Amino acid sequence: MRRVAVLAVQGAFIEHEKKLRSLGAETIELRKKSDLEQEFDGLILPGGESTVQGKLLRELGMYDILKEKIETGLPVLTTCAGLILLAQELTNDENRYFATFPVSVKRNAYGRQLGSFHCDGSMKGIGVYPMEFIRAPYIESVSPEVDILAEVDGHIVAVKYKNQTALAFHPELSGDARVHEMFLSQIR
C-alpha cells in the first residue's frame, strides 16, 4: 500500500488525506520532526498560508529533512501555498523556502479572498478538471525543463518538474480525484 505524508502544521491537509484514503492510500500527518522518522512514499504540501508553513517547518526542525527528501526524488504534490514553498523565486516576496522548483511565482496573484474563483480548465494528462482558486498564486515563468500542465486565462497554474507536481488551485476541494490518482501513480 502506498503511504503518503501530508504536511499538517497548517492549512487544508485533512481534505487531501480524505481524498487519498478514498483512493486506497494510507496517510500520515507530519506535525513534528519525529513524524519524519516514519516511512512514506510520497509527500503533499497543502494550501494554507505559506509564510506560516515556512516558519513552522524551520521552527519544528522539519525543513532540512524535507528539503533533502524532495531533492533526492521523493514524489511531492503541492497545492497553492505548497507551490510557493517549492518555487525558486517569488516575484512579489523576498522569502524563499525549499526553492527546489525552477519557476517564478506571484503570491496572491488574483488578489485577496474576493479574488477567489472556480473554473473548469484543461489539464495535461487529465482533461477538463474543476479548479478552485483561493487567494491563489500563479506561475509567471518556468525553466525550459518544466512541463506546463495547465493554464487559465493565459496564466500557468499547474506544472511538473522531475518528482514535483505543483498546482495553484485546490484539487482536494473538488469531487474529482484524478489529480490525486495521477500523483499516486507516480509513487512506486
Side-chain angles (χ1 to χ4, degrees), residues 98-154:
F98 293 121
T100 56
F101 210 122
V103 294
S104 293
V105 172
K106 182 176 182 181
R107 293 187 62 191
N108 295 321
Y110 298 99
R112 294 307 219 179
Q113 203 67 30
L114 292 175
S116 301
F117 66 98
H118 169 89
C119 71
D120 289 333
S122 182
M123 190 164 166
K124 185 176 182 179
I126 289 183
V128 176
Y129 192 85
M131 299 177 180
E132 200 69 47
F133 293 86
I134 303 170
R135 292 181 54 209
Y138 61 65
I139 298 143
E140 292 191 325
S141 65
V142 302
S143 291
E145 63 272 23
V146 172
D147 190 13
I148 297 171
L149 302 178
E151 294 183 55
V152 171
D153 296 331

Side-chain angles (χ1 to χ4, degrees), residues 11 18 23 41 62 95-96 98 115-116 134-135 141 143 181:
K18 288 178 182 173
L23 296 170
D41 311 304
M62 299 167 71
N95 290 313
R96 295 296 171 277
F98 293 121
S116 301
I134 303 170
R135 292 181 54 209
S141 65
S143 291
E181 286 172 352

Side-chain angles (χ1 to χ4, degrees), residues 11 76 92 109 136:
V76 59
N92 58 347

Side-chain angles (χ1 to χ4, degrees), residues 3-18 20-21 26-32 35-36 40 42-47 62 66 77 180 183:
R3 189 175 213 212
V4 179
V6 181
L7 182 65
V9 295
Q10 190 271 339
F13 57 91
I14 291 168
E15 293 83 353
H16 281 290
E17 292 173 20
K18 288 178 182 173
L20 290 165
R21 286 195 298 267
E26 184 182 345
T27 63
I28 61 168
E29 291 184 351
L30 301 179
R31 294 179 176 275
K32 57 191 181 303
D35 293 334
L36 293 169
F40 52 93
L43 171 66
I44 290 190
L45 300 175
M62 299 167 71
L66 284 176
L77 172 68
H180 289 82
F183 175 63

